[in-house]
Amino acid sequence: MDPVTQQRYERLQEILRGMGSVLVAFSGGVDSTLVLKVAHDLLGDRAVAATGESDSLAEFEGLDAAALAREIGARHVIVRTDEMDDPRYLANDRNRCFWCKTELFTKLNELAAREGLAVIVDGNNADDVGDFRPGMAAGHGLGARSPLQEAGLTKADIRAIAQLLGLRVWDKPAAPCLSSRIAYGQAVTPEKLRQIGQAESLLRSLGLREFRVRHHDQIARIEVKISDIGVVVEQREMIVTRFKELGFGYVTLDLQGFRSGSLNEVRHEDLIQIGVRRPRAV
C-alpha cells in the first residue's frame, strides 16, 4: 500500500473507532463493504449492516449483500423502504435519488435509535465530492456521515485496500439501483423494474459483469462492454425471445458499448443551456 493510501486508511480507522458504534448503510458495493469490514474489525457487534429492500433493488444485489455481511461476520438487517409510495420518486426527475435516500435514511435513523447505535455511516468517498449527488445530500441532511470521504479515500484507494483485506468485491463494478435504467421524466413503475431486473439477470447468467439494460418503454437497449458484444450476438435469439417474454416489443444492442450515465447524454446540451450541472453518471 502506498504511503498516502496507508495514511488515509489509518485515518478511516481513527474515525470509525471514535464513533463507538455504527449502523452501516450497506449496499454490497466495494465502498460500503470496506466500511463494514473495517467497522466490524474495530467495533465488533457494535457495527451493524442495514440494506434497504424495495422493488428498485436487484434480487442479485440483495442476496450478495447478505452473503458479504456473513463473510465479514457482521449482523445484517433488511430494512423495507417505501419510496415506491412517493409520487415525487415515481415522477423520476433529477431529484429521484434524493427522495429515495430520504426514505432510506429516515428508516435507518429509526433502526439506529432502536439498536442504540450512535452513528449512521454510508459509503460515499472522496471522489464523490462536488458531484451532483442528491442522494448523498439527503443522507447528510438526516445525520449520516461518510467516513471514507472524511478520510480522503478515493475509489482507487478503496479498491487497493479492499484487495489487500481479501474482500472479493474489490473490483466489483458499480451497481446503481434499477430505477437508474429509466430515463429522467419517464415514470418509475414496479413493472418496469421487474422487466429490467429479470433482463439483467439473464445477461448476468451469460457471464457478463458490466452491463445495463436501459428501459425505453417498448424498447430494451442493451449496453455491454465492447469486448462482450460478441457474446450478446452469439446469444441473440435466446436474448430476444426472453426479453419479449418479459414484455419488451423491441430489443436493441447499443454499438457504443457500456458507458456509465448514457441516459444523460441526450440531455447534456439542455442542462448546459439552463445552467444546471450534468447529473453524475451511474
Side-chain angles (χ1 to χ4, degrees):
M1 190 185 305
D2 71 73
V4 173
T5 301
Q6 178 68 40
Q7 184 179 33
R8 292 169 178 169
Y9 178 44
E10 291 172 358
R11 177 58 182 150
L12 172 66
Q13 293 173 307
E14 291 173 4
I15 291 168
L16 288 169
R17 188 182 293 111
M19 290 178 177
S21 62
V22 296
L23 180 64
V24 181
F26 185 56
S27 68
V30 61
D31 300 325
S32 62
T33 299
L34 179 62
V35 172
L36 181 62
K37 168 64 175 172
V38 177
H40 180 262
D41 286 351
L42 294 172
L43 304 173
D45 61 9
R46 292 174 294 158
V48 178
T51 300
E53 181 181 73
S54 72
D55 291 335
S56 64
L57 177 70
E59 181 181 11
F60 168 81
E61 296 298 337
L63 293 173
D64 199 43
L68 283 163
R70 286 195 299 271
E71 291 165 21
I72 291 170
R75 185 158 68 93
H76 184 222
V77 181
I78 301 298
V79 178
R80 182 69 192 181
T81 59
D82 299 311
E83 65 271 17
M84 296 297 291
D85 294 337
D86 188 340
R88 298 169 298 184
Y89 176 83
L90 299 179
N92 195 23
D93 65 13
R94 294 176 67 253
N95 289 315
R96 179 193 66 233
C97 291
F98 180 87
W99 306 119
C100 176
K101 291 300 189 285
T102 295
E103 166 68 9
L104 172 63
F105 283 96
T106 297
K107 293 286 179 66
L108 293 185
N109 270 314
E110 295 169 357
L111 176 61
R114 291 196 302 270
E115 296 284 340
L117 300 170
V119 185
I120 298 171
V121 294
D122 62 28
N124 292 303
N125 63 62
D127 289 338
D128 299 324
V129 176
D131 276 321
F132 180 80
R133 284 271 181 161
M136 182 171 68
H140 289 176
L142 287 166
R145 289 178 59 182
S146 302
L148 299 174
Q149 201 172 87
E150 294 176 26
L153 285 159
T154 65
K155 193 74 168 190
D157 293 329
I158 291 161
R159 292 197 186 280
I161 296 168
Q163 186 176 20
L164 284 173
L165 294 179
L167 298 174
R168 61 175 171 83
V169 292
W170 71 269
D171 65 342
K172 182 179 179 179
C177 79
L178 297 178
S179 295
S180 68
R181 278 61 152 174
I182 303 171
Y184 287 124
Q186 300 294 315
V188 174
T189 68
E191 175 61 20
K192 289 178 183 178
L193 298 176
R194 181 192 64 80
Q195 287 177 297
I196 295 165
Q198 293 186 24
E200 292 195 349
S201 179
L202 176 65
L203 297 184
R204 187 175 297 106
S205 74
L206 299 177
L208 304 178
R209 293 191 71 222
E210 197 163 14
F211 56 85
R212 299 284 188 271
V213 174
R214 308 293 188 185
H215 196 295
H216 300 272
D217 292 323
Q218 287 294 306
I219 301 171
R221 177 166 58 89
I222 300 171
E223 292 181 16
V224 297
K225 295 170 64 177
I226 297 296
S227 58
D228 289 330
I229 285 179
V231 175
V232 177
V233 173
E234 288 174 5
Q235 299 294 329
R236 178 184 64 86
E237 291 187 7
M238 182 271 291
I239 292 171
V240 169
T241 298
R242 180 62 181 135
F243 276 39
K244 288 197 170 187
E245 289 174 353
L246 293 174
F248 290 109
Y250 304 92
V251 184
T252 67
L253 175 62
D254 193 322
L255 295 182
Q256 293 185 75
F258 169 78
R259 59 222 184 269
S260 295
S262 70
L263 285 174
N264 298 327
E265 293 169 355
V266 296
R267 298 195 57 182
H268 192 193
E269 295 305 320
D270 292 338
L271 292 171
I272 291 174
Q273 289 174 14
I274 63 174
V276 178
R277 291 191 60 177
R278 184 177 184 174
R280 176 174 171 80
V282 293

